[in-house]
Amino acid sequence: MTLLALETSCDETSAAVVRDGEIVGFALSCRVIGLGVEQKLLAAVVAAHGPLAARIVETPRNAPVRWLYRDGGFEKGADGVWRIGRENAAA
């Protein structure tokens, strides 16, 4: 398991947890959602680990980040799992 953290100029820290080629946790302060921090962290995770899989279990509380993986270059499979390789990661 790997934990990657990103400290921003907003004094907020975001983190991603990767286990066995899958992003199993992605935490982001609501203060920085939409400022590009989420894509920088996601790009760093893909660069360090790619190819990766990820899932989003939709709940009312995670609506602001439902398209995190799509916007980061992941493709959603028929099984509902988002996947990416290093070659198609968003910069």
Side-chain angles (χ1 to χ4, degrees):
M1 180 170 53
T2 303
L3 171 68
L4 290 174
L6 178 67
E7 189 173 330
T8 69
S9 60
C10 303
D11 293 327
E12 299 294 330
T13 300
S14 305
V17 179
V18 177
R19 184 183 311 135
D20 298 326
E22 183 172 354
I23 299 172
V24 296
F26 197 93
L28 185 66
S29 170
C30 62
R31 293 183 217 174
V32 296
I33 292 174
L35 299 178
V37 174
E38 63 275 19
Q39 293 306 323
K40 287 186 182 216
L41 177 58
L42 193 56
V45 171
V46 171
H49 292 280
L52 290 168
R55 303 167 199 271
I56 292 183
V57 177
E58 292 186 15
T59 70
R61 294 187 64 175
N62 67 9
V65 294
R66 293 243 176 93
W67 303 113
L68 170 73
Y69 298 121
R70 179 201 66 190
D71 295 347
F74 284 63
E75 293 182 8
K76 190 173 186 179
D79 58 0
V81 176
W82 294 90
R83 292 182 176 83
I84 192 169
R86 283 191 177 118
E87 68 282 351
N88 56 337

